[in-house]
Amino acid sequence: MNPNFLFEATHDMYTTCLQLTGDIHEEVESQNRLLDRMGNNMDTSRGIMSGTMDRFKMVFEKKSSRRTCALAGFFILSFFILYYLIR
């Protein structure tokens, strides 16, 4: 066997491995950015839901039962309508 042939084959394998690890690194970075954005969106949603729950608590603390029942019924009905529209 020719030593140059072995050197070139080893160099080609090294180059291929180097390119592959670079591609894997880029994919991992891309996935991490995607997960970070998803986490930020979930945090935002959590903040919105927390604010909504605080408003619900304020409404229920006022003890106006008729208005509270109507409001709760409206939200439940709205939820089911949206659920069936999205589904």
Side-chain angles (χ1 to χ4, degrees):
M1 294 210 118
N2 186 358
N4 278 341
F5 174 74
L6 290 176
F7 177 76
E8 288 176 15
T10 304
H11 186 268
D12 289 342
M13 287 174 46
Y14 170 76
T15 304
T16 302
C17 287
L18 190 61
Q19 289 173 345
L20 184 61
T21 55
D23 291 343
I24 291 171
H25 178 73
E26 288 177 19
E27 184 64 27
V28 167
E29 290 292 326
S30 172
Q31 296 285 327
N32 283 339
R33 284 191 299 274
L34 176 67
L35 290 172
D36 285 341
R37 284 193 306 265
M38 286 176 59
N40 291 339
N41 288 342
M42 286 183 167
D43 288 341
T44 301
S45 299
R46 184 178 296 134
I48 291 171
M49 290 301 290
S50 174
T52 303
M53 292 306 294
D54 289 341
R55 289 185 193 104
F56 273 132
K57 287 178 188 175
M58 286 178 14
V59 167
F60 286 116
E61 287 174 357
K62 289 185 179 178
K63 304 285 184 193
S64 58
S65 61
R66 189 172 186 192
R67 184 177 282 172
T68 302
C69 288
L71 184 62
F74 173 75
F75 282 119
I76 291 170
L77 183 64
S78 298
F79 173 77
F80 282 117
I81 290 171
L82 286 174
Y83 174 76
Y84 284 113
L85 287 176
I86 292 172
R87 196 182 92 171

